[in-house]
Amino acid sequence: MGAKKKIREYLSRGVRRLKHRKGFGVHSPFAYAVITEVIEEKLPYYAYRSMQRIYVKQAPIPFKVACLLLRLANRFHCRNAAEIVCDGGYTLLPLVLTDSRMKVTSLADAATQARAESNLSRFPQSAGQVTFVNRLEQFDEASPFDFIAVNANPYEDQEEMKQKSFVPSAVYAQQFVEWLMAHTKDDTVIFVRGIQPGRPNEVFWDQLCDRDDVSITMDLFDFGLAILKPRFFKQHYVVSF
């Protein structure tokens, strides 16, 4: 990332912190509670200290994001999660540490699975909680999920698709949105990485937010949070994080 881009991002985050903090302007009691009691929660959780040592600078997600994943899964009592696509264990770890009853199905190739297993091996209590698969079809047996972490669009990652003629990213995004919604249920929490303009999941996130059955969405700058609450009116919030 160039120096000018870093400065713009820093200033953008600063403005956001001033305008969208502590649930200001949020009238929904449910959304206000999620923002103030989960996203902005500052009290330490039991697993933070043991997690922290693996989130070095090179980790694909910051430590504070890993802590948020744990808080979200804990708040919504999630027990059956999916990770698409595996990032080497950094998204998996807070999910499995949420509760020993948590089961996670993760889409991974052989090399990424090996890295994830190496990271998780430092936490023996997580043994048996993760199932790795290498095709989307293999998620069917475990769905629907109550928590889904989206790191990448698998339709765009498949080599056979890369070798075909150019297809607009919106087509792949729509395919993934349809697949995702077929594997959810009421109250499912969806956490998406890379939603800002020019980022990998920008188009996917926009299409997900446009759906009528995705009622609550929150823009956390480079991360998006969607909560499926069919009985709620559509609500979208920009949140300082």
Side-chain angles (χ1 to χ4, degrees), residues 50-67:
S50 60
M51 287 167 48
Q52 190 168 12
R53 63 181 183 272
I54 79 162
Y55 291 91
V56 295
K57 288 184 178 180
Q58 294 78 16
I61 61 172
F63 177 61
K64 75 168 189 174
V65 174
C67 293

mmCIF file of all heavy atoms in Angstrom, residues 50-67:
data_model
loop_
_atom_site.group_PDB
_atom_site.id
_atom_site.type_symbol
_atom_site.label_atom_id
_atom_site.label_comp_id
_atom_site.label_asym_id
_atom_site.label_seq_id
_atom_site.Cartn_x
_atom_site.Cartn_y
_atom_site.Cartn_z
ATOM 1 N N SER A 50 -4.435 -16.207 25.368
ATOM 2 C CA SER A 50 -3.886 -17.381 24.684
ATOM 3 C C SER A 50 -3.896 -17.197 23.169
ATOM 4 O O SER A 50 -3.058 -17.744 22.453
ATOM 5 C CB SER A 50 -4.683 -18.632 25.067
ATOM 6 O OG SER A 50 -6.038 -18.495 24.705
ATOM 7 N N MET A 51 -4.826 -16.392 22.630
ATOM 8 C CA MET A 51 -4.908 -16.152 21.196
ATOM 9 C C MET A 51 -3.811 -15.220 20.698
ATOM 10 O O MET A 51 -3.305 -15.383 19.591
ATOM 11 C CB MET A 51 -6.268 -15.521 20.841
ATOM 12 C CG MET A 51 -7.454 -16.439 20.905
ATOM 13 S SD MET A 51 -9.018 -15.495 20.833
ATOM 14 C CE MET A 51 -8.743 -14.398 19.437
ATOM 15 N N GLN A 52 -3.458 -14.262 21.502
ATOM 16 C CA GLN A 52 -2.684 -13.119 21.028
ATOM 17 C C GLN A 52 -1.356 -13.494 20.388
ATOM 18 O O GLN A 52 -0.909 -12.854 19.441
ATOM 19 C CB GLN A 52 -2.450 -12.132 22.174
ATOM 20 C CG GLN A 52 -1.868 -10.809 21.720
ATOM 21 C CD GLN A 52 -1.923 -9.764 22.824
ATOM 22 O OE1 GLN A 52 -2.183 -10.080 23.988
ATOM 23 N NE2 GLN A 52 -1.713 -8.515 22.468
ATOM 24 N N ARG A 53 -0.728 -14.541 20.860
ATOM 25 C CA ARG A 53 0.628 -14.843 20.399
ATOM 26 C C ARG A 53 0.714 -15.259 18.934
ATOM 27 O O ARG A 53 1.793 -15.228 18.350
ATOM 28 C CB ARG A 53 1.256 -15.924 21.275
ATOM 29 C CG ARG A 53 0.584 -17.281 21.260
ATOM 30 C CD ARG A 53 1.300 -18.240 22.206
ATOM 31 N NE ARG A 53 0.763 -19.582 22.204
ATOM 32 C CZ ARG A 53 -0.235 -19.992 22.968
ATOM 33 N NH1 ARG A 53 -0.811 -19.138 23.786
ATOM 34 N NH2 ARG A 53 -0.662 -21.245 22.917
ATOM 35 N N ILE A 54 -0.388 -15.666 18.315
ATOM 36 C CA ILE A 54 -0.285 -16.075 16.911
ATOM 37 C C ILE A 54 -0.653 -14.949 15.940
ATOM 38 O O ILE A 54 -0.449 -15.086 14.733
ATOM 39 C CB ILE A 54 -1.127 -17.324 16.604
ATOM 40 C CG1 ILE A 54 -2.592 -16.981 16.435
ATOM 41 C CG2 ILE A 54 -0.916 -18.415 17.625
ATOM 42 C CD1 ILE A 54 -3.366 -18.060 15.734
ATOM 43 N N TYR A 55 -1.177 -13.828 16.456
ATOM 44 C CA TYR A 55 -1.576 -12.740 15.562
ATOM 45 C C TYR A 55 -0.454 -11.714 15.416
ATOM 46 O O TYR A 55 -0.528 -10.589 15.899
ATOM 47 C CB TYR A 55 -2.879 -12.093 16.057
ATOM 48 C CG TYR A 55 -4.042 -13.031 15.895
ATOM 49 C CD1 TYR A 55 -4.404 -13.895 16.928
ATOM 50 C CD2 TYR A 55 -4.742 -13.104 14.698
ATOM 51 C CE1 TYR A 55 -5.448 -14.792 16.768
ATOM 52 C CE2 TYR A 55 -5.785 -14.006 14.539
ATOM 53 C CZ TYR A 55 -6.131 -14.835 15.576
ATOM 54 O OH TYR A 55 -7.154 -15.736 15.409
ATOM 55 N N VAL A 56 0.600 -12.145 14.734
ATOM 56 C CA VAL A 56 1.730 -11.275 14.442
ATOM 57 C C VAL A 56 1.343 -10.340 13.289
ATOM 58 O O VAL A 56 0.263 -10.443 12.721
ATOM 59 C CB VAL A 56 2.974 -12.106 14.070
ATOM 60 C CG1 VAL A 56 3.426 -12.939 15.256
ATOM 61 C CG2 VAL A 56 2.669 -13.020 12.884
ATOM 62 N N LYS A 57 2.251 -9.437 12.925
ATOM 63 C CA LYS A 57 1.950 -8.450 11.890
ATOM 64 C C LYS A 57 1.583 -9.096 10.559
ATOM 65 O O LYS A 57 0.827 -8.538 9.774
ATOM 66 C CB LYS A 57 3.131 -7.502 11.704
ATOM 67 C CG LYS A 57 3.319 -6.531 12.849
ATOM 68 C CD LYS A 57 4.442 -5.548 12.552
ATOM 69 C CE LYS A 57 4.594 -4.542 13.683
ATOM 70 N NZ LYS A 57 5.691 -3.567 13.404
ATOM 71 N N GLN A 58 2.139 -10.266 10.281
ATOM 72 C CA GLN A 58 1.895 -10.926 9.002
ATOM 73 C C GLN A 58 0.565 -11.683 8.964
ATOM 74 O O GLN A 58 0.181 -12.211 7.922
ATOM 75 C CB GLN A 58 3.032 -11.907 8.685
ATOM 76 C CG GLN A 58 4.388 -11.254 8.440
ATOM 77 C CD GLN A 58 5.084 -10.840 9.722
ATOM 78 O OE1 GLN A 58 4.722 -11.291 10.805
ATOM 79 N NE2 GLN A 58 6.066 -9.962 9.606
ATOM 80 N N ALA A 59 -0.143 -11.741 10.067
ATOM 81 C CA ALA A 59 -1.415 -12.464 10.104
ATOM 82 C C ALA A 59 -2.417 -11.803 9.166
ATOM 83 O O ALA A 59 -2.452 -10.575 9.048
ATOM 84 C CB ALA A 59 -1.972 -12.500 11.523
ATOM 85 N N PRO A 60 -3.240 -12.583 8.469
ATOM 86 C CA PRO A 60 -4.200 -12.011 7.518
ATOM 87 C C PRO A 60 -5.281 -11.154 8.149
ATOM 88 O O PRO A 60 -5.900 -10.340 7.469
ATOM 89 C CB PRO A 60 -4.800 -13.233 6.820
ATOM 90 C CG PRO A 60 -4.347 -14.421 7.563
ATOM 91 C CD PRO A 60 -3.229 -14.041 8.469
ATOM 92 N N ILE A 61 -5.548 -11.343 9.439
ATOM 93 C CA ILE A 61 -6.484 -10.463 10.138
ATOM 94 C C ILE A 61 -5.819 -9.950 11.403
ATOM 95 O O ILE A 61 -5.021 -10.660 12.028
ATOM 96 C CB ILE A 61 -7.812 -11.176 10.484
ATOM 97 C CG1 ILE A 61 -7.581 -12.370 11.408
ATOM 98 C CG2 ILE A 61 -8.562 -11.583 9.229
ATOM 99 C CD1 ILE A 61 -8.873 -12.983 11.927
ATOM 100 N N PRO A 62 -6.130 -8.717 11.816
ATOM 101 C CA PRO A 62 -5.566 -8.179 13.059
ATOM 102 C C PRO A 62 -6.131 -8.899 14.283
ATOM 103 O O PRO A 62 -7.215 -9.490 14.227
ATOM 104 C CB PRO A 62 -6.002 -6.711 13.044
ATOM 105 C CG PRO A 62 -6.446 -6.424 11.645
ATOM 106 C CD PRO A 62 -6.947 -7.729 11.098
ATOM 107 N N PHE A 63 -5.412 -8.797 15.370
ATOM 108 C CA PHE A 63 -5.838 -9.417 16.618
ATOM 109 C C PHE A 63 -7.203 -8.888 17.058
ATOM 110 O O PHE A 63 -8.056 -9.639 17.535
ATOM 111 C CB PHE A 63 -4.798 -9.162 17.704
ATOM 112 C CG PHE A 63 -5.170 -9.698 19.058
ATOM 113 C CD1 PHE A 63 -5.384 -11.055 19.247
ATOM 114 C CD2 PHE A 63 -5.313 -8.845 20.142
ATOM 115 C CE1 PHE A 63 -5.733 -11.566 20.495
ATOM 116 C CE2 PHE A 63 -5.650 -9.342 21.394
ATOM 117 C CZ PHE A 63 -5.861 -10.701 21.574
ATOM 118 N N LYS A 64 -7.448 -7.589 16.881
ATOM 119 C CA LYS A 64 -8.734 -7.029 17.328
ATOM 120 C C LYS A 64 -9.907 -7.617 16.542
ATOM 121 O O LYS A 64 -11.019 -7.732 17.070
ATOM 122 C CB LYS A 64 -8.723 -5.506 17.244
ATOM 123 C CG LYS A 64 -8.852 -4.911 15.865
ATOM 124 C CD LYS A 64 -9.113 -3.412 15.967
ATOM 125 C CE LYS A 64 -9.458 -2.800 14.615
ATOM 126 N NZ LYS A 64 -9.848 -1.379 14.745
ATOM 127 N N VAL A 65 -9.670 -7.989 15.282
ATOM 128 C CA VAL A 65 -10.725 -8.616 14.488
ATOM 129 C C VAL A 65 -10.980 -10.034 14.984
ATOM 130 O O VAL A 65 -12.123 -10.477 15.077
ATOM 131 C CB VAL A 65 -10.356 -8.617 12.992
ATOM 132 C CG1 VAL A 65 -11.379 -9.405 12.179
ATOM 133 C CG2 VAL A 65 -10.262 -7.183 12.474
ATOM 134 N N ALA A 66 -9.900 -10.746 15.327
ATOM 135 C CA ALA A 66 -10.063 -12.089 15.897
ATOM 136 C C ALA A 66 -10.877 -12.024 17.187
ATOM 137 O O ALA A 66 -11.760 -12.860 17.425
ATOM 138 C CB ALA A 66 -8.694 -12.708 16.161
ATOM 139 N N CYS A 67 -10.609 -11.010 18.008
ATOM 140 C CA CYS A 67 -11.369 -10.850 19.254
ATOM 141 C C CYS A 67 -12.840 -10.569 18.965
ATOM 142 O O CYS A 67 -13.734 -11.076 19.661
ATOM 143 C CB CYS A 67 -10.777 -9.720 20.086
ATOM 144 S SG CYS A 67 -9.120 -10.050 20.715
#
